[in-house]
Amino acid sequence: MLKDLFRLIKILHIFLKARVDSDLEEFNLPKLIRLFLLISPWKLYSAKEPRGKRLKKALEESGPIFIKFGQLLSTRPDAMPSDIANTLKSLQDDLPPFPTDQATNLIEKEMDSSINEIFSDFDKEPIAAASIAQVHKAQINDDGIIKDVAIKILRPNIKKTFNDEIDALMLLAYLIESLISKTKRLKLVEVVFLLKEITNHEMDLRFEAAAANEFAENTKNDVGFYVPKIYWNF
């Protein structure tokens, strides 16, 4: 709980720095909060940029789970003002990749073999890196035939990181709904619960592999469709 509180304070600093206080005037805030915002040092920061752009920057600075939260909010034009929802649609979760030696160590641990025994070739530079995983090109020997493959690797300790951030985000959503009654229509706590369910599924790559397998089976006779093969032994 104490860790969540410290994380929450850090997050509040980021959002106040983005001057979200200037967008809260339409809400009937408690007097104590209004007084705090009135004398807060964050007023030294500019609020000239559009509110959607400022919120987008704050979400990006807060971390991967907040980026995903913003992406999810962008699909809720029924709950979010259209200008904010449209801006949040441009949120990307392209992030710096984690070190290649960590990626190879994770693979070798899972496969119980050295990287050179598993792949004919392994590209050390990732071709994509997002909030949950990153992707490397590689080649495998499939019954004497060399085939190009994409290797998707979960970030180290990603489940713990996400669960910690989700707890902080849940606390923030609960406080906002409790203190600002008008925000209850946004159903922020409900959105966070949905986000938790989605990310837990995304962190189990077997679901993604099974979905790709099923899609391949359903479209095998359709012209113009190609779904990459899943190598289940990996």
Side-chain angles (χ1 to χ4, degrees):
M1 184 66 179
L2 192 60
K3 283 169 60 177
D4 291 340
L5 185 59
F6 280 123
R7 195 175 286 108
L8 179 61
I9 291 171
K10 179 182 176 182
I11 292 163
L12 286 174
H13 167 70
I14 292 171
F15 279 86
L16 285 172
K17 191 174 67 174
R19 293 302 312 277
V20 294
D21 61 291
S22 64
D23 306 313
L24 297 175
E25 295 175 358
E26 63 182 276
F27 297 103
N28 186 24
L29 298 175
K31 289 182 180 179
L32 189 60
I33 295 180
R34 289 207 305 271
L35 177 62
F36 169 73
L37 294 177
L38 184 66
I39 63 174
S40 73
W42 290 279
K43 283 190 174 292
L44 296 173
Y45 289 95
S46 172
K48 291 181 180 179
E49 285 188 314
R51 58 183 182 175
K53 191 171 182 179
R54 284 185 279 111
L55 178 59
K56 175 177 175 284
K57 285 182 177 179
L59 290 167
E60 288 174 331
E61 188 177 344
S62 298
I65 195 67
F66 287 85
I67 293 173
K68 285 200 167 292
F69 182 61
Q71 291 171 338
L72 190 57
L73 286 177
S74 73
T75 67
R76 294 287 306 276
D78 58 314
M80 297 295 296
S82 58
D83 61 310
I84 294 179
N86 288 335
T87 303
L88 295 184
K89 285 179 181 177
S90 65
L91 270 175
Q92 300 294 320
D93 60 359
D94 292 335
L95 297 172
F98 58 90
T100 300
D101 60 340
Q102 290 186 17
T104 54
N105 287 341
L106 286 168
I107 294 171
E108 290 177 340
K109 183 179 178 181
E110 289 292 328
M111 301 299 294
D112 196 24
S113 298
S114 72
I115 201 79
N116 293 328
E117 292 175 332
I118 302 167
F119 303 114
S120 302
D121 184 56
F122 181 82
D123 195 339
K124 292 184 178 181
E125 291 299 319
I127 58 173
S131 53
I132 290 177
Q134 69 186 35
V135 179
H136 291 256
K137 286 183 178 180
Q139 289 183 328
I140 60 171
N141 188 328
D142 186 31
D143 292 330
I145 301 173
I146 301 298
K147 293 186 176 179
D148 294 321
V149 295
I151 311 297
K152 190 170 185 178
I153 310 161
L154 290 175
R155 286 183 176 271
N157 301 315
I158 188 62
K159 289 188 179 181
K160 183 181 185 305
T161 301
F162 261 67
N163 285 327
D164 287 347
E165 289 187 353
I166 279 282
D167 289 342
L169 186 57
M170 185 68 73
L171 179 58
L172 179 61
Y174 174 77
L175 288 174
I176 291 173
E177 285 194 358
S178 300
L179 295 173
I180 309 174
S181 57
K182 283 188 177 181
T183 63
K184 288 183 179 179
R185 65 182 176 82
L186 302 178
K187 299 182 178 179
L188 294 177
V189 172
E190 185 179 309
V191 173
V192 175
F193 270 116
L194 177 61
L195 180 63
K196 185 173 184 177
E197 184 179 337
I198 289 172
T199 52
N200 278 327
H201 272 81
E202 284 188 16
M203 286 187 285
D204 189 335
L205 299 183
R206 293 172 298 180
F207 285 111
E208 185 174 347
N213 226 37
E214 183 178 1
F215 189 51
E217 183 64 26
N218 291 340
T219 59
K220 64 182 180 182
N221 297 321
D222 297 337
V223 177
F225 280 88
Y226 174 75
V227 182
K229 178 181 177 181
I230 304 296
Y231 292 91
W232 284 102
N233 55 315
F234 285 85

